[in-house]
Amino acid sequence: PQVQRWFNAFESSQFFVVPYRLAHSNSPAKGSRLTAVERLAQRLGLRSGAGRSLSDAANHPSLEKDLPSDLRSRLNGVLSLHGGSATGVADILARSNAELYGYTGPRNNAGAITNWLREYW
């Protein structure tokens, strides 16, 4: 997966991993008091209130409603080939020091990280 190339070039602790659905939420993830944007601002040392969310996800249809199943299947194939599957990415994240926003499971449990990625992908 592509994320491994980034981890080869940069210290993994510099990465802040936020699945799409958590990035676009106006509410903090389970186990957090900050939204993803607020947590990122905190990591970067920006003043409080620098950002709230990336968009209003509540006004956007679910992926299942937005894309037909055959197109989603083809898209998943392309992502698996070029970016890595959720399982492949989770295997790398489980061995990293990247911050996984909204993930509350065991740090080195690739199966639990896979489930987290799939839930909020």
Side-chain angles (χ1 to χ4, degrees):
Q2 190 173 30
V3 70
Q4 183 63 62
R5 291 185 213 137
W6 288 104
F7 287 174
N8 289 342
F10 300 97
E11 181 61 43
S12 65
S13 63
Q14 294 178 279
F15 287 78
F16 181 58
V17 179
V18 185
Y20 179 83
R21 289 182 183 161
L22 291 176
H24 291 269
S25 175
N26 291 325
S27 302
K30 182 174 75 172
S32 179
R33 59 180 177 72
L34 303 173
T35 66
V37 172
E38 290 167 339
R39 175 63 188 123
L40 179 59
Q42 183 182 58
R43 276 182 62 109
L44 296 174
L46 301 176
R47 63 180 169 76
S48 180
R52 292 213 170 13
S53 72
L54 298 177
S55 73
D56 187 359
N59 292 331
H60 195 279
S62 69
L63 189 62
E64 291 75 19
K65 289 181 181 175
D66 209 17
L67 293 177
S69 62
D70 63 319
L71 185 55
R72 283 195 321 270
S73 180
R74 289 182 13 226
L75 177 60
N76 284 334
V78 169
L79 291 174
S80 291
L81 181 64
H82 296 288
S85 65
T87 302
V89 170
D91 287 340
I92 293 164
L93 292 176
R95 297 186 314 266
S96 79
N97 292 314
E99 180 177 344
L100 310 180
Y101 176 78
Y103 176 71
T104 59
R107 182 62 218 172
N108 61 349
N109 186 324
I113 294 171
T114 298
N115 292 338
W116 168 76
L117 285 172
R118 287 182 177 152
E119 181 176 356
Y120 297 107
W121 203 262

